[in-house]
Every structure is written in C-alpha cells, then in structure tokens.
Amino acid sequence: MRAVLLSLALCLTACAGEKLGQIQNFRQKSSGDDYVELEWNLTQDGDYPLHKYTLTTDSDFSNDVRCFNEYCTYIVDYLPACSDHDFELVPHFDGPSGDVLGDAAATSGATADKPPGAPSNIAVSGIGGSATNLTWNAPATNAACVDTYEICYRLESDTAIQCENSTDTFISLAGLEACGKYEITVAGVTPSGVAGPSESTFITSQDGVPGAPQNVVVGLSTADSVSIKWDDPLTNRLCVDRFAFSYGETHARNFQYVRASDHEAIITPLNGCTNYTIDVFAISRTGFLGPAVRNYAATAETEPLAPPTVIVGAHGPDSIDVIWGSDPNEKCSGSISICWHDHEHSEICEDIPAGGGNNNFTITDLLPCSSYDVIVSVVTPGGIVGLPTANSTHTDDVQPGPVRFLRMKEVTSHELTISYEAPETHPQCVHEYDIEIINEDDYFSRRSQVVPYMDGTFTDLEACADYLVNVRAVTRTGLTSEWRTITTTTGGDTPSVPRAFEVEAVHETSVLVNWWQPDTNKFCARNYRLEWTDGTNSNSTEISPAPGEDLPFEVRFTVTGLTSCTEYTFSVFALSVSSGESAPATITQKTTCAH
C-alpha cells in the first residue's frame, strides 16, 4: 500500500511537471558490530524545500531523519552483529498543499563482526572404527557471527596441537590416535577471522589393539637375570597399558609386567646355566594382547642355590651324620662343600664330587660333648660357591673327670667363697656344675645349686657352723663326674637373746626356769650365764654342756638358796667364745611364802 502511495505521489508530481530534489550516492559509509552508518547527497534545485526523510530498515521499521544539508549521514543502531540489512530512503518536501514525496533510494549494508560466545556441551557422539565424532552447542551470544568452528586437539601428555574446521556443530575427527586422552577445544570464528572464546573438555579416543613392540633386543645377561629393551609399537601405541614378558624354558612359562612408560626391564630371578625363550608384547587397558616379539637368551653360570634343608645328628661321641636336600631348580651344581667347626678350633671343609650321591656324609674324628656348626654349600663346575645352609648339633656326651683344685677362697661368719678348675678329662663335656652346701651341725640344713661357672659365693650361712662343700661336673645330658669335697667352719658372731625364757616351777627357796637356744647365731653360743637378784643381793652361775657336746636346744635349771616370799629378777645371757654375749632374756618371780 505504501509503495502504491509513493508511486501515486511520484506520478502526481511528475504529471504536474513539478521538479523535486533527487537522492544521490545513497550507500553505507561505515559500520560497527551493532550499527550501520549511511550517507547520501540531495540535489538542491527542486521546486520545494526538503521537509524530512523516511528511512525504512529491512522493510520492518522506519525512522524520520531530519537533515537539510546537501550531504547527510545517519546511524541505524541496535542492529545484531554480523548481519545484512536493506535500507530505503524517501525524501519528503513541503508542497503547496502538503507533503510531497520524492523518488525513493535503496541500498544494503552489514554490521561488523563481533566475537561469538563460547560453544558449550562438547560431547563424544560416537566412536567409529577410524574416527571419533564430536558435537557441541552453538554459542548463546552472537551465534550469527560464527562463520566456521575451529576444533583443536592435543594429547594430554603432548604440547603439539592440531586443528580442523567445521561449518556445523559437529565434526568427525580421524586424526586422533586410539586410546589417547585428548584435550578438545572448540571456538567460533567470524568471517573476518576473529575467534571467540573457546570451550575445552577431555575425551578418550576409541580403544585398539597395540601393535608389536619395536626394536626388541636382549642386553646384558648375568647369572640370574637377562636385561631386555624395546620401543613402542608403531600401531596404537597409546593403547599400551603395560608390557608383558613371557619367559621360560621348554615347559615352564612365567609372566612379568612393567608400566607402559617403561621400555626396558631386567627379567629376574632366573636360573643360572639356562636357555630362555622371551616373548615381549603390549597389553591394552581393556586387556587386548598385541602380537609378541620373540627373543632368546642364556644365563651365565651363577651362584648356585642353597640346599633347601640340612639335617645333622650325632653318630656317637666322635662323629656326626649330615643329610642335605637338593633344589630341583638348581642347574649349575658341580659338587658339595661341607664345612664344620666347634667354635674353638679352625674350620675344616671337605668337597664331595657330583652332589654326594645320596646326599649324605658322616663327619668323623670329632670331640665328644661338643656343639658343631655344619655348613653345606653347592659349588659350580667353575668354582662359584653358593649360599650356605647351616645347622648345628652335639656329639654324644661322655662322663667328664672330677673338678680340680677345689679350695676355699674366703670364709666369714655368714658367707663362703670357693673356687675350682675344670676337669682334666673331657672338660668340653661340662655344661654346668652341681654344688652342695651341707651344714654338718644341722641335720636338716642342706643346700644345693647348679652354676655354669667355676666358682661361687654362698651367703646366709650360719655362723660358727661346720660346712661340707661338694662339687661335681654335669654334662648337657646329665652325666656327672665324681664329687670333690672340702670342709670349713664359718666365723663367729654374737648370738641373739635366748628364747622362751620362763619359770616352770616355784618353791619357797628355789625356782625352776627353762629357755631355748638363740634363734640367730645359735652355734656361736658355747654356754649361758644365769643371773638373779632380789634388789639387794645378786648371784650368778654359768651353764655349760658336757665336754665334747653342744648346747642343747632346751635348758632347764633350778636356782636354789633363795629366800621365801621374796621377789627375784632372773636374767639369762648366751655367751660366745669370741663374739661377746647376747642381750639378756629377763623374767621376775616371787618365791612362795612359808605357812
């Protein structure tokens, strides 16, 4: 309708023969990411003055433009970036009876680039046999500015970056290695080549079977190991989760694993003197085994394995039986070395050719009652001695001779010290010494002890007592020598107070008293002194045993010549030969009165 009116107006103007100004050079002058600046010229030789312009954008919205110069510019803003637009400009003139429309001018323009926002939701949409498919969402801002998407990727462990382009929101990447963890970056790029911010994520490419390891070589071989080196497979190297070795002899196979980052290993432990077949192959994370590469290696003569068991036992007082086991894995055995020693003499060894036949041997000419360490080693034909296996045993016991030079080193009142020397015959058979200490003055006093040394001190003895000391040697199994004997008497000491001092009977002129011998140092008491007093007169008497006898355990004594109806104090003392007398035991008693 608007176009019809404009045409009618133009027609009316032309038909009336009126002359109007003309728009010239209507075009885009400049642009930004949200505006287009237009420019034009207007001829000024028309019949009517210019009133305004009407500028219509994209046949959608219009603006009134007032510019009365010959040259005009106008900015149309609030436009989306990276977009094309159509513009129509119509001049309005002030005619005699109202608005007169001039000829319309048209042009087109475009807003400038503006970097798009970051794509989102990068995802693996599928994994094919030879490519990985990715999708993503277009940017939320300035999506129209995206002319193409740049997709870059690099291995997580690498710095090298590769890029591809897509004009859509998906791509199929064929350049990814299988089993690789990749950092994927997607960014939108404008037609002018300006890239917006990127979105990144990590993906893992499809799984694959690793190829055969490259350049597998056997290096140094030792007695119990073989070193081996290799390079990564050419095919699907990233799929290698670990490398494995299969190795062994004709019938036995063993496996060993190393990390994918390792490219050399030492295969151990191996048996010496052995040929080995070694297969090296790669294994993927999901357990796929790649093809193996085979090599051959031989170990050198090695230190032989120790015998698994050594059993020893006495074969009498001068010999030992030795039995040893053989390790079925031992390949380098040439002979057996047996060594023995008793900790006091030099080690003696003997070689037994060809493994000793039935793996037994009897060692002779040994000392009885002796502990022997027996060491059995395997020896290679080249003379390498293997680790030993040892065991210990005793030759059978025999009776040792008696101890020598038994003597009393020191004697005090309650202690004695003896010394002696080992037997002259079979001294090595002595395991300990049995010592008896017998108090010959006390039938029930007998002490014994076993000591591992050749002297001893004995305490808590009775003073003034006669002691008998017996010593004999004892073997490990209980065989004993003859006794050797020595006697002594302990020194003196002051006896303690006589015990249980009491009155047994009372008369007018006599009192019967009794008491027991002292509890401590009783053998030192040779006699007693009994004293009594009525406070005015005092008397005493000594009480001694019969010649050749000891004081009895209990003493009863009658004190006579006393005065009737009189109170007396009685005191008894134990007297020693050289250590003084004891403290008194005291009682008080009144004699009976006459009727």
Side-chain angles (χ1 to χ4, degrees), residues 238-493:
L238 298 179
C239 294
V240 179
D241 179 65
R242 60 194 184 277
F243 290 99
F245 311 96
S246 170
Y247 61 95
E249 302 172 60
T250 304
H251 302 293
R253 303 297 290 175
N254 300 284
F255 287 88
Q256 183 174 328
Y257 302 91
V258 298
R259 300 170 299 180
S261 59
D262 294 334
H263 292 85
E264 61 180 325
I266 296 177
I267 303 175
T268 186
L270 303 178
N271 295 322
C273 309
T274 306
N275 294 320
Y276 282 92
T277 301
I278 303 172
D279 292 332
V280 183
F281 50 93
I283 304 176
S284 74
R285 285 188 291 270
T286 54
F288 290 127
L289 275 65
V293 177
R294 175 161 290 184
N295 268 264
Y296 301 93
T299 53
E301 184 175 286
T302 181
E303 179 179 299
L305 300 173
T309 57
V310 170
I311 301 172
V312 294
H315 191 73
D318 63 352
S319 59
I320 292 174
D321 288 330
V322 185
I323 302 174
W324 61 92
S326 297
D327 194 317
N329 296 319
E330 178 53 59
K331 308 296 183 181
C332 294
S333 176
S335 62
I336 297 295
S337 172
I338 299 180
C339 299
W340 60 91
H341 65 89
D342 64 356
H343 304 287
E344 293 183 4
H345 299 85
S346 299
E347 187 175 74
I348 300 174
C349 297
E350 185 164 338
D351 286 332
I352 302 172
N358 295 324
N359 288 14
N360 61 76
F361 181 74
T362 299
I363 305 171
T364 58
D365 298 327
L366 304 178
L367 291 172
C369 312
S370 296
S371 175
Y372 281 90
D373 290 334
V374 180
I375 303 167
V376 181
S377 303
V378 178
V379 184
T380 70
I384 300 175
V385 180
L387 292 174
T389 300
N391 208 337
S392 299
T393 191
H394 282 77
T395 50
D396 286 343
D397 284 358
V398 296
Q399 183 182 29
V403 300
R404 297 179 297 155
F405 310 120
L406 175 62
R407 62 188 181 278
M408 197 68 60
K409 291 178 64 176
E410 185 177 0
V411 180
T412 64
S413 298
H414 303 282
E415 184 175 289
L416 64 84
T417 301
I418 62 172
S419 67
Y420 48 90
E421 293 184 10
E424 183 175 9
T425 304
H426 304 309
Q428 78 280 359
C429 293
V430 179
H431 177 65
E432 58 195 10
Y433 294 94
D434 186 10
I435 303 176
E436 288 186 340
I437 307 294
I438 301 172
N439 185 342
E440 296 185 300
D441 295 323
D442 186 347
Y443 177 79
F444 298 101
S445 177
R446 185 185 188 95
R447 298 165 59 184
S448 64
Q449 68 183 59
V450 176
V451 296
Y453 40 80
M454 290 184 292
D455 59 13
T457 297
F458 304 91
T459 59
D460 298 327
L461 304 181
E462 289 280 358
C464 306
D466 295 326
Y467 279 92
L468 172 67
V469 180
N470 294 324
V471 181
R472 65 180 177 181
V474 184
T475 70
R476 180 179 53 86
T477 58
L479 299 179
T480 60
S481 70
E482 299 176 11
W483 288 106
R484 285 293 182 260
T485 300
I486 192 173
T487 59
T488 190
T489 301
T490 52
D493 201 353

Side-chain angles (χ1 to χ4, degrees), residues 73-323:
T73 63
Y74 187 79
I75 295 175
V76 182
D77 53 9
Y78 300 106
L79 299 176
C82 308
S83 58
D84 295 325
H85 300 278
D86 295 324
F87 303 98
E88 184 183 61
L89 184 66
V90 179
H92 293 245
F93 299 96
D94 288 327
S97 58
D99 219 13
V100 178
L101 301 180
D103 293 335
T107 190
S108 62
T111 50
D113 288 357
K114 186 174 184 179
S120 60
N121 299 325
I122 303 173
V124 177
S125 62
I127 297 177
S130 60
T132 300
N133 300 322
L134 298 181
T135 62
W136 58 89
N137 293 341
T141 58
N142 300 324
C145 291
V146 177
D147 179 64
T148 185
Y149 289 97
E150 184 179 57
I151 302 94
C152 296
Y153 51 91
R154 71 169 184 87
L155 282 169
E156 184 183 33
S157 59
D158 200 353
T159 57
I161 299 176
Q162 294 177 286
C163 296
E164 297 185 26
N165 294 319
S166 174
T167 57
D168 213 330
T169 55
F170 61 85
I171 192 171
S172 181
L173 296 176
L176 303 185
E177 294 188 55
C179 306
K181 186 175 182 181
Y182 282 89
E183 181 181 17
I184 305 293
T185 301
V186 180
V189 182
T190 68
S192 63
V194 177
S198 62
E199 173 76 1
S200 296
T201 190
F202 284 92
I203 67 166
T204 300
S205 55
Q206 78 275 8
D207 197 6
V209 179
Q214 297 295 299
N215 304 319
V216 180
V217 295
V218 173
L220 178 66
S221 294
T222 69
D224 63 351
S225 66
V226 171
S227 67
I228 191 166
K229 296 182 179 182
W230 65 93
D231 292 329
D232 280 330
L234 295 179
T235 304
N236 295 338
R237 64 183 179 90
L238 298 179
C239 294
V240 179
D241 179 65
R242 60 194 184 277
F243 290 99
F245 311 96
S246 170
Y247 61 95
E249 302 172 60
T250 304
H251 302 293
R253 303 297 290 175
N254 300 284
F255 287 88
Q256 183 174 328
Y257 302 91
V258 298
R259 300 170 299 180
S261 59
D262 294 334
H263 292 85
E264 61 180 325
I266 296 177
I267 303 175
T268 186
L270 303 178
N271 295 322
C273 309
T274 306
N275 294 320
Y276 282 92
T277 301
I278 303 172
D279 292 332
V280 183
F281 50 93
I283 304 176
S284 74
R285 285 188 291 270
T286 54
F288 290 127
L289 275 65
V293 177
R294 175 161 290 184
N295 268 264
Y296 301 93
T299 53
E301 184 175 286
T302 181
E303 179 179 299
L305 300 173
T309 57
V310 170
I311 301 172
V312 294
H315 191 73
D318 63 352
S319 59
I320 292 174
D321 288 330
V322 185
I323 302 174

